[in-house]
Amino acid sequence: GYFVALPSLHVAVAVLVQVFLYRSRAHFWLFLPINLLVVPATVALGYHYLLDVPAGVLLACVVLVASARYRARLPVRQLGSRP
């Protein structure tokens, strides 16, 4: 009676959040156990099948690569210049 989807957006968001927290080491290590628990919790609670987890990780990787390519194409602004 509930909707199970591929990929797991719970896992994808957890991976993205963890990657973005890398700049702040304290926050990275604080949230790492929480985000690692998202993976088994989504399967154990029945929100996703086991196959949905690696698909969510793959989705997060695709988003990260696409955003890195997009940022690489943006013009570099000089310090002190106005937009």
Side-chain angles (χ1 to χ4, degrees):
Y2 54 86
F3 183 69
V4 178
L6 176 83
S8 172
L9 294 180
H10 299 99
V11 174
V13 169
V15 169
L16 289 173
V17 166
Q18 200 60 41
V19 168
F20 292 131
L21 286 174
Y22 188 72
R23 291 182 181 230
S24 171
R25 294 295 178 124
H27 290 105
F28 178 87
W29 291 110
L30 179 68
F31 283 96
L32 183 64
I34 297 167
N35 286 330
L36 286 177
L37 286 174
V38 168
V39 175
T42 57
V43 176
L45 293 173
Y47 292 124
H48 293 283
Y49 296 117
L50 192 57
L51 181 63
D52 299 346
V53 173
V57 172
L58 182 65
L59 176 65
C61 291
V62 167
V63 169
L64 288 171
V65 168
S67 67
R69 286 187 177 182
Y70 176 75
R71 283 180 294 174
R73 292 175 46 196
L74 292 177
V76 178
R77 290 185 10 199
Q78 298 290 333
L79 287 175
S81 67
R82 296 193 175 243

